[in-house]
Amino acid sequence: ITSSHPFNDVFKTFKFEHPELFIPLINDIMNTCYSGNEEISLLPTEGIFLTPTPEGTAGMAEKITDFLIKIGNKKYLIECQSENDDTMSIRIAEYTFLSAIGTGEFFDGTYNIEMPNYTVLYVRTTKKTPRETKIRFTFPDGQAVNYNAPNILMTDFTKEEIIEKRLYVLIPYYILRYEKDIKEGKADLDVIEEDLKYFSDALIKELDSGRIGAVSEGDVRIFTNTIINHVFGKKAEEKERMVDIMGGNLIYTDFMRARDEGRLEGRLEGRLEGRLEGNREGSFKSCYNLVKKGRITAEEAAEELGISESTVVRFASYLGYAGYPEFQSSLAEWVKNKLNTVQKMEPLCLLVTGES
């Protein structure tokens, strides 16, 4: 993702690629208890409004909100905001009405409009960032209805809470709490590195336990690096140091491109595409020896093959296994039954290294 608006781009890519990751966030802010097995669908987020101009006339304007999802029979609107905005209440009133009127229904002579639940995610915060969005509808007969909702402030969450509550969509934005110090050259890079290592290690464990899928986990890393690249800007050395923690450029090669080209499908016995280039006999022998000795842990395989442990773990999930331990047992049995020579290790190592 390369853009001058990476915060919204990351959010919207999450929306289209992994809408299910927003369910824990909705549970946390709306006090709901969705299991994640409910039917979810993305709803249209654009429409036309008559918008007042400075001259007092009304002009036609398209309004596009960030995210509108339906879980079961309930609608939820989430707006991603990187700056404080005094017009947010007006925008939310427009967006929510747009989403409601589009699904209104006539019943017994009455047009029923059901307004959605909503929240604003502030990925950057200041002392003036509102904790609640407040809207008040007043009608001609004098009755008034408050339509308020709590906001999500990134700085309210610790890294431990994010993992515990499965708020994976917040991980890319975590580094923004250090943005000001980074730009001013005052940031403690060791602290930032420690936080990123915590998320990287935690994602491996979450993936291995089945709490997050392989593609989702890979994309969380990609999007985190997108924000890192934006925040560090021209600070190349520091940027590279942080990006490498989350997997560096290898992540895109292993996951987005492979997924887009339809590769990495099936289990170990499935289709193998491409061919490993170059002389990798040493890696083949090392991998084969580890399997024969029954001690091919994710860490050892990663060290022998020169790739990250997270790549090895994600590889197992891509093949359809519940976690690395299940893959480890299956791999050992597969090698025992089907491989007799070092040369036959080539397809296996092709998959493990993610080469094509």
Side-chain angles (χ1 to χ4, degrees), residues 43-106:
L43 301 178
T45 57
E46 63 281 329
I48 301 296
F49 278 91
L50 289 174
T51 301
T53 66
E55 294 75 23
T57 59
M60 300 295 287
E62 184 179 36
K63 299 294 181 180
I64 304 177
T65 187
D66 283 341
F67 185 58
L68 186 62
I69 188 173
K70 186 175 183 181
I71 307 175
N73 61 354
K74 295 291 184 180
K75 292 184 296 183
Y76 298 90
L77 183 148
I78 305 176
E79 186 74 8
C80 181
Q81 188 69 13
S82 59
E83 306 288 348
N84 291 342
D85 186 347
D86 293 337
T87 68
M88 180 54 66
S89 294
I90 299 173
R91 289 165 53 194
I92 289 294
E94 290 180 327
Y95 298 156
T96 53
F97 182 74
L98 166 64
S99 68
I101 199 171
T103 56
E105 296 179 337
F106 271 106

Side-chain angles (χ1 to χ4, degrees), residues 63-307:
K63 299 294 181 180
I64 304 177
T65 187
D66 283 341
F67 185 58
L68 186 62
I69 188 173
K70 186 175 183 181
I71 307 175
N73 61 354
K74 295 291 184 180
K75 292 184 296 183
Y76 298 90
L77 183 148
I78 305 176
E79 186 74 8
C80 181
Q81 188 69 13
S82 59
E83 306 288 348
N84 291 342
D85 186 347
D86 293 337
T87 68
M88 180 54 66
S89 294
I90 299 173
R91 289 165 53 194
I92 289 294
E94 290 180 327
Y95 298 156
T96 53
F97 182 74
L98 166 64
S99 68
I101 199 171
T103 56
E105 296 179 337
F106 271 106
F107 180 74
D108 196 21
T110 301
Y111 189 63
N112 297 283
I113 300 175
E114 182 180 352
M115 301 294 282
N117 296 283
Y118 73 89
T119 186
V120 180
L121 167 60
Y122 285 92
V123 297
R124 284 188 181 126
T125 60
T126 69
K127 293 181 180 179
K128 295 183 179 180
T129 303
R131 292 193 167 276
E132 187 178 26
T133 299
K134 298 181 178 181
I135 302 171
R136 185 179 179 86
F137 293 111
T138 302
F139 299 93
D141 62 1
Q143 65 174 313
V145 177
N146 291 326
Y147 186 40
N148 305 334
N151 296 326
I152 304 171
L153 277 59
M154 265 302 308
T155 48
D156 284 348
F157 296 91
T158 66
K159 55 183 181 289
E160 292 82 8
E161 286 178 315
I162 289 174
I163 294 300
E164 179 184 351
K165 296 179 178 181
R166 301 174 66 183
L167 307 178
Y168 308 123
V169 294
L170 300 184
I171 292 176
Y173 303 111
Y174 191 86
I175 195 175
L176 292 178
R177 64 191 61 201
Y178 304 118
E179 182 180 22
K180 183 175 182 294
D181 288 341
I182 291 172
K183 292 186 181 300
E184 294 177 356
K186 302 177 181 178
D188 188 332
L189 297 182
D190 290 337
V191 171
I192 299 174
E193 183 174 8
E194 182 180 340
D195 287 345
L196 291 174
K197 283 182 177 178
Y198 173 85
F199 283 125
S200 182
D201 292 343
L203 283 171
I204 293 174
K205 294 177 182 177
E206 295 292 285
L207 177 61
D208 201 28
S209 69
R211 278 166 52 96
I212 187 173
V215 176
S216 299
E217 193 265 2
D219 282 351
V220 168
R221 292 175 179 273
I222 294 168
F223 302 155
T224 301
N225 280 344
T226 296
I227 303 299
I228 290 173
N229 282 320
H230 175 80
V231 170
F232 278 92
K234 296 180 180 180
K235 300 177 185 293
E237 185 176 342
E238 294 92 335
K239 181 195 303 184
E240 182 179 2
R241 173 181 170 184
M242 301 305 163
V243 165
D244 283 347
I245 295 172
M246 298 303 289
N249 294 328
L250 178 65
I251 297 298
Y252 178 82
T253 300
D254 283 353
F255 296 99
M256 296 195 79
R257 183 177 297 137
R259 180 186 59 201
D260 294 341
E261 294 175 358
R263 296 176 181 172
L264 295 177
E265 297 177 352
R267 298 179 71 87
L268 192 58
E269 296 83 1
R271 300 194 301 273
L272 300 179
E273 295 184 28
R275 184 172 180 81
L276 189 64
E277 299 294 335
N279 180 14
R280 299 190 182 274
E281 185 175 294
S283 292
F284 298 162
K285 290 180 178 178
S286 297
C287 189
Y288 179 69
N289 289 334
L290 285 172
V291 174
K292 282 201 307 179
K293 295 176 182 178
R295 59 180 186 87
I296 186 169
T297 66
E299 182 179 2
E300 289 169 329
E303 182 178 355
E304 290 289 344
L305 296 171
I307 58 179

